[in-house]
Amino acid sequence: MSSPMPTAGAKGQDAFTAAQAAQDASAKHATRSFKIWRGEAGKGDFVEYKQDVVEGMVVLDAVHEIAATQANDLAVRWNCKAGKCGSCSAEINGMPKLMCMTRLSDLDADKPVTIEPMRAFPHMRDLVTDVSWNFEVKKKIQKFTPRPPDAPDGTWRMQQTDVDRVQEFRKCIECFLCQDVCHVLRDHHKHEEFIGPRFLVYAAALEMHPLDTADRVPELRKEHGIGLCNITKCCTKVCPEHITITDNAIIPLKERVVDEFFDPIGKLVKIYSRRKKANG
Amino acid sequence: MSTPTEYKTVEHDVLVIGAGGAGLRAAIEAAAQGANVGLVCKSLLGKAHTVMAEGGMAAAMGNVDDRDNWRVHFADTLRGGQYLNNWRMAELHAKEAPERVKELEGWGALFDRTADGRILQRNFGGHRYPRLAHVGDRTGLELIRTLQDHGVHQGLDVHMEVTVLTLLKDGDRIAGALAYDRERGRFRVFKAKAVVMATGGIGRAYKITSNSWEYTGDGHALSYHAGAALQDMEFIQFHPTGMIWPPSVRGILVTEGVRGEGGVLKNRDGKRFMFDNIPDNYKAQTSDTPEEGWRYTQGDKDARRPPELLTRDHVARMIVNEVRGGRGSPHGGVFLDIAWIKEKLPNAEEHIKRKLPSMYHQFMQLAGIDITKEPMEIGPTTHYIMGGVRVDGDTQMSTVPGLFACGECAAGLHGANRLGGNSLSDLIVFGKRAGEHAAKFAKSNGTVSIDSAAVDAAARRALAPFDRAASAEGPYQVQEALQETMQDNVGIVRAQAEMDVALQALGSLKDRADKAGVKGNREYNPGWHTALDLDNLLTVSEAITRCAIERKESRGGHFREDYPDKDPAFATFNFVVAKGKDGSMELSREPIPPMPEHLAAVIEEMK
């Protein structure tokens, strides 16, 4: 026999359902009020719902309960409900957040919880926005271009310390909350001239990748509009993955742009050292 | 409202349904072969369930322990699957996984590193040597992002937030699919010479699951209704460690990596109960003392693995046993403790945060638990289905010409129980194979024609819930009842009487689904979507229940209280279901072909 035979439990109920049902009965309940933005293509208004909630619930749980019992057609985008896919981005009490990682107990219990769609993108329905612009922007960034493999078996050698920095950027779950909060996009609508913090992080991950050989600095300066970012760090504050977007990604990229295009002394040094090499 | 109006028709050589790891890898390969490829996904690109995979991908590269090679990986996979695996798939998987992982590095993936700069590999349940290439505990995100970013430069035509309603056929052969776009609710006809199904699993048929909303068995059900055979549907993996408290997070996955890094399971009395029962076929490889187990997790090559790293089916049942015996944790699970390693490591807190960052984050944010200081409470959660579309091991083609399947929705590689880490490697090995062979099939077979009557009928059926807008019941209530039925009656511990109840209940749930109504309009309407998912959930639930009833023994992920032992009579065939002429589900026993000598020799050697 390969496994223990679980001792007989309550019939008609899975062992865990049985053990946990008893616990569920002891969980604390409360009625909370939610103001959810309902409407289409930018037109709409808040609709208020009262909903019974249980301790430990996150905002997305409440939205699901409301959809299941009061508003079947409430449009909401979500996938994993575990903070890993970045689908359920919204503005909760005015703050850009993931609905699945925002606990109700962290929000003022005396006031209704307001839930709105992200405002930096075209509105579709209720809590859903059209984020397709982000996917188009990504295509415009030069792709990963590795150096030839280091070993005959086609593999590379990299030290952990050399990949740490890029691994931070690759934690990004593409929730686009940083794009939502960026005033260049949100208030000034410069979607044509500026790729936004998400894609500056993406470009930084490629530029600082130990194996990459492409040069994205000229395009960052021109087409991607890195100069438009004036380092207010709002993006860093809202990142659910705690990526230090401004300090670790954007500022180093800005420095590269400066080094390559705007540094007369650096240029002289380069010319001088080149001459020295040629002569020496 | 319920009259289909227009059909936008899109033509591709190869249509890939599903954009997780398997679908993306298939699409990349088909495009590399020169095919015009369409990639359809229910969500936005990069959001598929693959992002939730945590621990890593298994590939016998031998970077950490040079005793590892494909033969050990092959033997481990078959032992874990209790020898019901498609041995050809297990062989290809073990041989090709290293190449597929290295290829990802060339596409930009950044795995954690060994001291000499190679890809680091970690321990996982059922793998004899450290074998899982990983990035902290977010390996799935790295995989999907790498494939997504590589794929967008391959000229793939990506159809985001599009859901397939039915597969279309031209005679016996596959001809495409009818789908609808979520944003506008409009129908779209895809005409394709070959279709690759890569839709993932079925977790949403259960109440407690680690799976995202998309996991409604679409690929299983659509393929079945198109005439393809499904196999091994009774084998579902209940992952031993899901969150259990607070109630709203129940089921969310806690990676096996916690145990790989030295985490231990304890009951209410603080006892490491996993030492109580070690299956005979793993005795030789399992440590008898906590000390030896700890040394194993720290890379001591002479130590044997701790019993916490036995296969998932066994660990899950041991946990159930503790809870049923009244030795569980306060919220009906057991304790998973990684904080204890501070007795062994000076910088334990930092080490845990570095190795398991998302677990730290997840417990801190959702449960208010600091895993570097306190134990977690965990219990089993519906995680993975070993069963799926029956495919040819080499080409991944189903029993329907032109219809391919790969990843979780295909069957064969994992047999009765999947080893952790063998899923991500499955996606890339067989995703590539499916894409390659679908492109070849498209090239060597002529054009197809679309049966417009079939399209009309399917579209009318899809719109029917709107005609019942006044109906008393909505789709959510039916879905919930279905999830409870499966959880309570066809869950981790099964018995004849309960499964008979389930089968009957599924019949009446089908009636309820046929009567459920949907309010609102067609634009981005989750209620409508839920109504459309019900068909697929009901089909897979019936297949699971029927196969589970017939397998009168306990093996791998399938445990029968009324037949608690393994029975050699059930070791020689797979249960297969297919749609009969009268539309009812027909079950048959398909013998497992004898293993060729060179593979049998490997199994014998690794015993």
Side-chain angles (χ1 to χ4, degrees), chain B residues 548-571:
Chain B
I549 287 173
E550 286 307 311
R551 185 167 287 278
K552 297 185 196 308
E553 65 153 355
S554 292
R555 184 186 294 268
H558 173 72
F559 185 84
R560 293 275 306 244
E561 207 166 27
D562 43 359
Y563 299 96
D565 296 319
K566 220 187 307 187
D567 180 349
F570 285 89

Side-chain angles (χ1 to χ4, degrees), chain A residues 152-171:
Chain A
D153 67 348
T155 60
W156 288 268
R157 298 290 176 269
M158 288 178 267
Q159 288 303 311
Q160 184 63 43
T161 47
D162 296 327
V163 304
D164 278 342
R165 182 163 67 162
V166 180
Q167 282 186 334
E168 182 197 1
F169 304 147
R170 292 182 69 87
K171 286 195 302 186

Side-chain angles (χ1 to χ4, degrees), chain B residues 136-409:
Chain B
D137 54 4
R138 57 161 190 86
T139 314
L141 174 66
E142 189 70 12
L143 172 62
I144 202 165
R145 204 63 85 226
T146 301
L147 293 174
Q148 173 190 347
D149 295 348
H150 185 74
V152 295
H153 295 288
Q154 295 262 106
L156 306 178
D157 212 343
V158 184
H159 306 271
M160 291 199 287
E161 297 196 311
V162 169
T163 301
V164 171
L165 298 166
T166 191
L167 293 178
L168 300 168
K169 288 174 81 176
D170 182 353
D172 285 337
R173 188 185 153 189
I174 208 76
L178 173 71
Y180 95 95
D181 76 89
R182 258 194 132 179
E183 182 182 353
R184 291 276 147 235
R186 283 183 293 225
F187 293 113
R188 208 176 290 184
V189 171
F190 289 95
K191 192 173 164 184
K193 293 175 195 158
V195 170
V196 178
M197 205 48 98
T199 56
I202 57 90
R204 287 279 150 183
Y206 288 79
K207 190 173 159 192
I208 302 173
T209 177
S210 63
N211 293 171
S212 76
W213 73 269
E214 297 189 290
Y215 265 33
T216 48
D218 299 12
H220 293 80
L222 294 169
S223 303
Y224 166 82
H225 289 297
L230 307 180
Q231 81 173 39
D232 296 336
M233 292 298 284
E234 68 274 32
F235 294 116
I236 290 173
Q237 179 166 84
F238 298 90
H239 193 292
T241 60
M243 290 179 83
I244 56 167
W245 191 261
S248 61
V249 303
R250 184 166 299 150
I252 296 181
L253 190 65
V254 180
T255 177
E256 190 164 318
V258 175
R259 284 169 280 145
E261 298 296 338
V264 297
L265 292 168
K266 291 178 182 166
N267 66 15
R268 196 184 58 184
D269 311 318
K271 184 183 178 197
R272 276 181 74 179
F273 57 89
M274 287 303 299
F275 281 105
D276 293 354
N277 184 320
I278 296 164
D280 290 339
N281 54 344
Y282 282 98
K283 274 216 167 99
Q285 320 180 348
T286 309
S287 60
D288 343 89
T289 64
E291 188 51 38
E292 185 185 2
W294 165 252
R295 282 193 283 115
Y296 175 90
T297 64
Q298 299 310 297
D300 182 341
K301 289 183 181 175
D302 297 324
R304 293 168 299 170
R305 74 166 76 98
E308 275 86 358
L309 288 177
L310 286 163
T311 54
R312 289 174 175 177
D313 52 341
H314 175 76
V315 180
R317 272 195 300 281
M318 288 290 283
I319 294 170
V320 171
N321 205 34
E322 290 305 296
V323 176
R324 282 188 165 186
R327 299 179 298 276
S329 64
H331 297 107
V334 296
F335 294 109
L336 172 62
D337 189 2
I338 182 77
W340 81 276
I341 68 170
K342 60 179 176 261
E343 295 167 20
K344 299 279 185 186
L345 296 177
N347 57 342
E349 185 172 333
E350 196 188 312
H351 180 79
I352 294 166
K353 285 185 189 166
R354 193 184 142 63
K355 283 306 207 179
L356 303 161
S358 20
M359 287 305 102
Y360 173 76
H361 191 55
Q362 183 173 309
F363 273 88
M364 206 52 154
Q365 206 145 345
L366 295 177
I369 299 275
D370 181 349
I371 67 167
T372 68
K373 298 197 167 63
E374 325 163 56
M376 300 159 247
E377 270 190 84
I378 53 87
T381 177
T382 311
H383 186 54
Y384 188 91
I385 184 160
M386 276 66 79
V389 179
R390 184 172 165 85
V391 292
D392 174 76
D394 287 82
T395 65
Q396 298 286 291
M397 191 159 92
S398 72
T399 49
V400 174
L403 177 62
F404 298 75
C406 55
E408 189 172 349
C409 76

Side-chain angles (χ1 to χ4, degrees), chain B residues 341-505:
Chain B
I341 68 170
K342 60 179 176 261
E343 295 167 20
K344 299 279 185 186
L345 296 177
N347 57 342
E349 185 172 333
E350 196 188 312
H351 180 79
I352 294 166
K353 285 185 189 166
R354 193 184 142 63
K355 283 306 207 179
L356 303 161
S358 20
M359 287 305 102
Y360 173 76
H361 191 55
Q362 183 173 309
F363 273 88
M364 206 52 154
Q365 206 145 345
L366 295 177
I369 299 275
D370 181 349
I371 67 167
T372 68
K373 298 197 167 63
E374 325 163 56
M376 300 159 247
E377 270 190 84
I378 53 87
T381 177
T382 311
H383 186 54
Y384 188 91
I385 184 160
M386 276 66 79
V389 179
R390 184 172 165 85
V391 292
D392 174 76
D394 287 82
T395 65
Q396 298 286 291
M397 191 159 92
S398 72
T399 49
V400 174
L403 177 62
F404 298 75
C406 55
E408 189 172 349
C409 76
L413 173 60
H414 310 294
N417 174 57
R418 175 177 71 84
L419 297 184
N422 267 0
S423 181
L424 291 188
S425 43
D426 172 7
L427 306 184
I428 48 180
V429 168
F430 294 106
K432 178 188 184 284
R433 283 188 163 265
E436 178 187 334
H437 289 281
K440 280 184 184 153
F441 184 94
K443 210 175 276 179
S444 54
N445 288 276
T447 188
V448 285
S449 60
I450 295 290
D451 175 358
S452 59
V455 171
D456 278 335
R460 251 195 307 277
R461 200 167 56 243
L463 291 173
F466 287 111
D467 295 339
R468 307 186 291 260
S471 139
E473 193 167 55
Y476 290 97
Q477 286 69 36
V478 184
Q479 191 194 49
E480 204 181 316
L482 169 73
Q483 289 165 342
E484 278 178 10
T485 298
M486 292 302 285
Q487 185 78 35
D488 292 345
N489 300 298
V490 202
I492 185 164
V493 177
R494 298 165 176 177
Q496 184 75 40
E498 290 160 13
M499 292 192 286
D500 289 341
V501 169
L503 205 53
Q504 263 204 323

Side-chain angles (χ1 to χ4, degrees), chain A residues 168-210:
Chain A
E168 182 197 1
F169 304 147
R170 292 182 69 87
K171 286 195 302 186
C172 173
I173 56 174
E174 300 199 329
C175 63
F176 306 129
L177 288 172
C178 59
Q179 307 285 70
D180 184 45
V181 82
C182 174
H183 63 102
V184 181
L185 299 171
R186 188 184 178 97
D187 300 328
H188 305 294
H189 310 288
K190 296 208 183 279
H191 295 74
E192 293 298 316
E193 298 155 55
F194 183 58
I195 58 175
R198 160 58 194 138
F199 296 105
L200 291 173
V201 168
Y202 179 64
L206 290 164
E207 282 292 294
M208 300 179 199
H209 194 298

